Amino acid sequence: MNEIIATNGLSKSYDGKPALIGLDLAVPRGSICGFLGRNGAGKTTTLKLLLGMLRRDAGTIRLFGEPVDSEASSIAVRQRTAFVSEDKELYPFMTVNQTIRFTRPFFPAWRRDLEEKYLDLFQLPKKKLVPQLSKGMRTQLMLLLAMARGAELLMMDEPTSGLDPSLTEEVLQALADLAASDGTTIFFSSHQLAEVEQLCDRVCLIDRGQAVIAGVLDDLKAEYRRILLVFDAEPPRELAGLPGVDHLRRRGRTASLLAHVDVDAVVERAREFGPCSVEVRPVTLKELFLDHVRGE
Amino acid sequence: MNLRINFSSGVPIYQQLMEQIKHAVDTGAIKGGEQLPTIRKIAEDLAMNPNTVARAYRELEREGFIEVRHGSGAYVGMPSTSSAKVAGIRKAAEVLRPAMERGLAIGLSESELRRVFEDELARLQENAAAARRRT
């Protein structure tokens, strides 16, 4: 069993409005996978379905190879999974220390060494009440509680939203270290492409409830190419129909093609339209994101 | 070793890491036989993915550039052509310097100059890759 998260044809609607349409997701053990998509693309719905906080309409979900909603396996699956929600709710009447002491006994695999380490790293004031903490510190406390649980899978919904760049870097370092030392599988949604590029080896981009790109980030960077064409007149619309072209964007006399299979053949075909210049460039994650969620 | 990865570039990160480690050896920042930082150390220092570091090490090992000894870490192999490489880098710098000076004289900014350089390099690599695929 190498896949820690695996969904097949996962679907969910709210009041007849589809939120997820047959989502296939695969996150292998030890991977850090970034889950990307516009607001309302279905990211939080997916996370809630994975955690059993929502009921799916169709499809299958397996965590650690076990179905999440069978009574026999659901407790075991939950013990091995930690989650940091987007709202980051904590009890307002507890101090940092009390919150940690309260949380600890719920989790048999709790790691005192990691608890100490992150307390120290994040420099959290133990005696302060939760409402007295800054937003960044509350986030770090949530992360500490999730990371010290000794879970094999850590899921997070926008973990670094609202953090300043230096706190973000600390959090990313802590996550990189957790993955390197414990082999923890990490799956998180984010709008910060830069942090996803930095930390993740895999990405999954969803749009309108469906996965549009998924895979190893470095492989995607190696496969995808932008082909820039300049014409004497308006570029032909037919370029979009060339086999292998994912997206076409035309602006003035230039056309920009995104391709990822048999790029050379696409370039050859494009040349037949008689462009006055052809340029092939690597593609950044930001470009992949924008091209796939916009289209022409 | 001073590693600087451009995470938002279109160049795969493991390839950037490979290039920088090779460069560190070429310039003598790391010498043959010396130990490289552990995967965990690099991952934590750069807050990057340990699997990606491992992939760079795996590729470097496959190329015979480093030797991974289980339990004790990765070591740089003994290069035979290192001094030739250093001379080559010096030579390249001499060739490129006047071109860069001209670019600045025309009024290009540093980042524009860098972009031109990287674009041209990408184009060369792309052409070489296309030529390889055709054969």
Side-chain angles (χ1 to χ4, degrees), chain A residues 30-32 117 169 172-173 176-177 179-181 194 197-201 216 218-219 221-222 225 264 268 278-284, chain B residues 6-16 39-40 43-52 55 119 122-123 126 129-131 133-134:
Chain A
S31 160
I32 306 181
K117 183 177 157 181
E169 188 69 13
L172 296 183
Q173 278 185 332
D177 188 43
S181 55
E197 288 183 303
Q198 184 173 338
L199 187 64
C200 297
D201 58 338
V216 173
D218 272 352
D219 290 346
K221 282 184 174 176
R225 284 293 176 266
D264 293 340
E268 289 306 313
V278 180
E279 194 181 333
V280 182
R281 281 193 190 169
V283 179
T284 64
Chain B
N6 180 359
F7 291 105
S8 57
S9 127
V11 180
I13 291 163
Y14 80 94
Q15 284 178 8
Q16 293 186 45
I39 289 172
R40 183 175 167 182
E44 197 183 349
D45 282 355
L46 300 180
M48 65 175 284
N49 193 287
N51 296 332
T52 307
R55 184 173 182 180
D119 280 353
R123 201 195 310 265
E126 197 60 49
R133 281 196 292 264
R134 270 197 290 275

Side-chain angles (χ1 to χ4, degrees), chain B:
Chain B
M1 187 167 49
N2 185 16
L3 296 170
R4 277 170 60 184
I5 305 293
N6 180 359
F7 291 105
S8 57
S9 127
V11 180
I13 291 163
Y14 80 94
Q15 284 178 8
Q16 293 186 45
L17 202 53
M18 286 173 70
E19 286 309 314
Q20 297 216 3
I21 290 169
K22 286 180 178 175
H23 184 73
V25 173
D26 288 341
T27 55
I30 297 183
K31 296 201 165 53
E34 279 185 1
Q35 189 176 6
L36 287 169
T38 61
I39 289 172
R40 183 175 167 182
K41 175 98 173 66
I42 292 187
E44 197 183 349
D45 282 355
L46 300 180
M48 65 175 284
N49 193 287
N51 296 332
T52 307
V53 184
R55 184 173 182 180
Y57 276 21
R58 239 181 3 254
E59 288 292 317
L60 287 169
E61 187 182 27
R62 205 176 50 81
E63 290 182 5
F65 201 83
I66 64 169
E67 191 193 327
V68 177
R69 295 177 210 157
H70 286 283
S72 81
Y75 294 82
V76 179
M78 287 298 186
S80 51
T81 57
S82 168
S83 57
K85 196 65 172 276
V86 171
I89 288 171
R90 286 214 190 93
K91 179 84 194 148
E94 276 169 35
V95 174
L96 290 172
R97 197 177 302 122
M100 291 194 260
E101 280 166 0
R102 274 191 68 184
L104 291 173
I106 294 169
L108 291 185
S109 71
E110 201 181 307
S111 65
E112 285 164 339
L113 197 60
R114 193 171 289 128
R115 204 167 63 225
V116 171
F117 187 86
E118 282 175 2
D119 280 353
E120 287 304 318
L121 201 59
R123 201 195 310 265
L124 284 176
Q125 283 171 338
E126 197 60 49
N127 289 344
R132 270 202 304 279
R133 281 196 292 264
R134 270 197 290 275
T135 54

Side-chain angles (χ1 to χ4, degrees), chain A:
Chain A
M1 187 270 306
N2 201 29
E3 273 170 4
I4 299 296
I5 302 176
T7 73
N8 214 309
L10 188 60
S11 298
K12 173 75 186 170
S13 308
Y14 297 106
D15 300 325
K17 273 182 72 182
L20 284 183
I21 311 159
L23 180 71
D24 297 335
L25 199 61
V27 180
R29 180 183 292 280
S31 160
I32 306 181
C33 181
F35 193 33
L36 303 167
R38 288 192 299 191
N39 290 325
K43 299 190 296 297
T44 300
T45 297
T46 304
L47 283 166
K48 285 186 171 166
L49 286 164
L50 291 175
L51 289 155
M53 292 158 72
L54 282 175
R55 204 174 282 274
R56 65 184 192 273
D57 298 339
T60 58
I61 306 173
R62 284 175 176 271
L63 297 186
F64 308 98
E66 305 280 346
V68 282
D69 45 8
S70 99
E71 245 176 76
S73 57
S74 86
I75 292 177
V77 162
R78 277 158 217 254
Q79 278 176 348
R80 296 162 77 181
T81 307
F83 178 58
V84 178
S85 69
E86 196 181 0
D87 45 34
K88 307 188 177 75
E89 258 181 49
L90 293 159
Y91 292 113
F93 48 84
M94 286 191 193
T95 63
V96 169
N97 227 0
Q98 287 168 336
T99 306
I100 294 172
R101 274 176 35 219
F102 172 76
T103 309
R104 203 187 284 143
F106 286 103
F107 304 104
W110 187 268
R111 294 270 303 271
R112 287 296 282 265
D113 58 325
L114 292 180
E115 172 197 315
E116 300 282 332
K117 183 177 157 181
Y118 296 126
L119 259 177
D120 191 49
L121 179 73
F122 296 151
Q123 296 181 320
L124 292 169
K126 289 188 188 177
K127 289 184 180 150
K128 271 199 179 173
L129 282 168
V130 164
Q132 295 172 327
L133 300 176
S134 68
K135 188 176 178 201
M137 282 179 169
R138 277 204 294 276
T139 301
Q140 287 181 316
L141 178 55
M142 283 291 288
L143 284 164
L144 180 152
L145 297 176
M147 292 198 286
R149 278 183 47 178
E152 294 163 61
L153 168 63
L154 174 59
M155 291 201 265
M156 298 176 286
D157 201 356
E158 299 188 29
T160 62
S161 72
L163 297 190
D164 70 41
S166 87
L167 283 184
T168 299
E169 188 69 13
E170 271 179 17
V171 165
L172 296 183
Q173 278 185 332
L175 291 170
D177 188 43
L178 187 70
S181 55
D182 290 56
T184 311
T185 307
I186 301 175
F187 181 68
F188 69 101
S189 72
S190 177
H191 286 298
Q192 303 303 320
L193 294 179
E195 74 184 28
V196 168
E197 288 183 303
Q198 184 173 338
L199 187 64
C200 297
D201 58 338
R202 285 178 172 265
V203 292
C204 175
L205 168 59
I206 67 168
D207 192 45
R208 296 176 197 106
Q210 287 177 305
V212 286
I213 298 179
V216 173
L217 184 54
D218 272 352
D219 290 346
L220 295 172
K221 282 184 174 176
E223 284 164 18
Y224 276 90
R225 284 293 176 266
R226 159 140 0 261
I227 304 164
L228 293 165
L229 306 164
V230 181
F231 290 88
D232 284 330
E234 195 176 307
R237 272 175 202 284
E238 293 76 23
L239 285 168
L242 289 182
V245 172
D246 295 315
H247 283 279
L248 164 69
R249 189 171 301 150
R250 302 181 308 149
R251 195 171 289 160
R253 290 181 290 118
T254 64
S256 161
L257 305 178
L258 189 70
H260 77 286
V261 270
D262 211 354
V263 173
D264 293 340
V266 176
V267 172
E268 289 306 313
R269 293 278 192 85
R271 277 187 203 282
E272 289 167 13
F273 288 92
C276 35
S277 106
V278 180
E279 194 181 333
V280 182
R281 281 193 190 169
V283 179
T284 64
L285 181 61
K286 183 174 174 181
E287 291 176 79
L288 280 181
F289 181 92
L290 291 177
D291 274 46
H292 277 88
V293 303
R294 270 192 202 147
E296 194 179 37

